[in-house]
Amino acid sequence: MLTFAEAARFPDALVGAETRRLATHAARLPAAMVVPPAFEEGFYRAANLPEQLRNLLAPIQPTRIDEDLLEPLAERAGTLIRTSYLADDAVQLFYRALRNAGLTLGDLHARRPGSREVETAHVTPPGTAALHALKRLWAQDWTFDALLTRLDDTGSVGLEARATLLFAGPPGLPDAGQAAELGVPVALANSLGLVGLP
């Protein structure tokens, strides 16, 4: 798990361009942390998800997509992500990171850099609700629309793990004042601070 300052040392391809933009304004951020792609990759590998997803989605032919077939398979894929378990060591690492970031009590939201799709949670120690929000966010990659977009764009259902951002408080709303101060077109803020520069 990374602070925004730590994440800023990595390339955009690994942590997302928005993460690096937010890191330059760390003083404006509420309690927050960055979950690196390696954590998501570890979850997929430990739960044998690549093989399970490959087998589940094998009937889909990228050259001739049967949307009626894809829809129930997408639902099953999302359920598979949400109901698979992280290894105990990974869970404990996540809980420690939440504690260190000050995210174990109260509302938080999770989203991907560059995306406005969020999952929210009301967290109490040790942080199980935050872990569930993280998995719900990851499951969004397997919705019907997400799969159809990948099939159209790349001819494959596969995807690369990506960074995930966790912020204290509810999802941000456009804040024209902060956007003007920072000289950006859009800044997202909640009552606790800056939470997005999409």
Side-chain angles (χ1 to χ4, degrees):
M1 306 302 142
L2 304 168
T3 65
F4 274 80
E6 291 166 339
R9 298 182 195 131
F10 292 92
D12 290 355
L14 189 62
V15 296
E18 183 188 8
T19 304
R20 291 167 51 84
R21 287 194 299 272
L22 285 164
T24 64
H25 304 289
R28 292 176 180 257
L29 304 181
M33 72 180 200
V34 179
V35 179
F39 188 75
E40 184 179 6
E41 287 172 10
F43 163 63
Y44 273 71
R45 279 195 310 271
N48 196 31
L49 289 170
E51 184 176 349
Q52 291 185 70
L53 289 163
R54 189 170 35 255
N55 292 339
L56 175 65
L57 298 168
I60 301 300
Q61 300 299 316
T63 55
R64 189 178 176 99
I65 301 167
D66 181 343
E67 294 186 9
D68 291 333
L69 177 60
L70 180 61
E71 192 167 6
L73 293 179
E75 180 60 37
R76 288 175 55 196
T79 300
L80 185 61
I81 302 300
R82 289 189 302 273
T83 58
S84 294
Y85 294 99
L86 278 92
D88 286 343
D89 288 348
V91 171
Q92 293 310 313
L93 174 69
F94 182 73
Y95 289 163
R96 277 196 306 276
L98 282 177
R99 267 195 318 273
N100 293 340
L103 293 170
T104 54
L105 192 61
D107 293 330
L108 65 71
H109 67 280
R111 68 178 179 82
R112 301 283 197 174
S115 171
R116 300 282 283 269
E117 297 291 324
V118 300
E119 288 293 338
T120 61
H122 183 77
V123 183
T124 57
T128 306
L131 189 58
H132 291 170
L134 190 68
K135 287 170 57 181
R136 288 194 310 271
L137 186 72
W138 292 345
Q140 288 180 13
D141 288 332
W142 300 96
T143 62
F144 174 81
D145 288 339
L147 282 168
L148 193 57
T149 298
R150 282 205 300 282
L151 285 163
D152 286 343
D153 291 350
T154 67
S156 169
V157 295
L159 82 161
E160 296 292 323
R162 294 172 289 148
T164 306
L165 311 178
L166 274 74
F167 294 98
L173 298 172
D175 184 318
Q178 288 210 51
E181 283 178 43
L182 299 174
V184 296
V186 179
L188 304 177
N190 63 22
S191 58
L192 302 175
L194 178 69
V195 296
L197 292 171

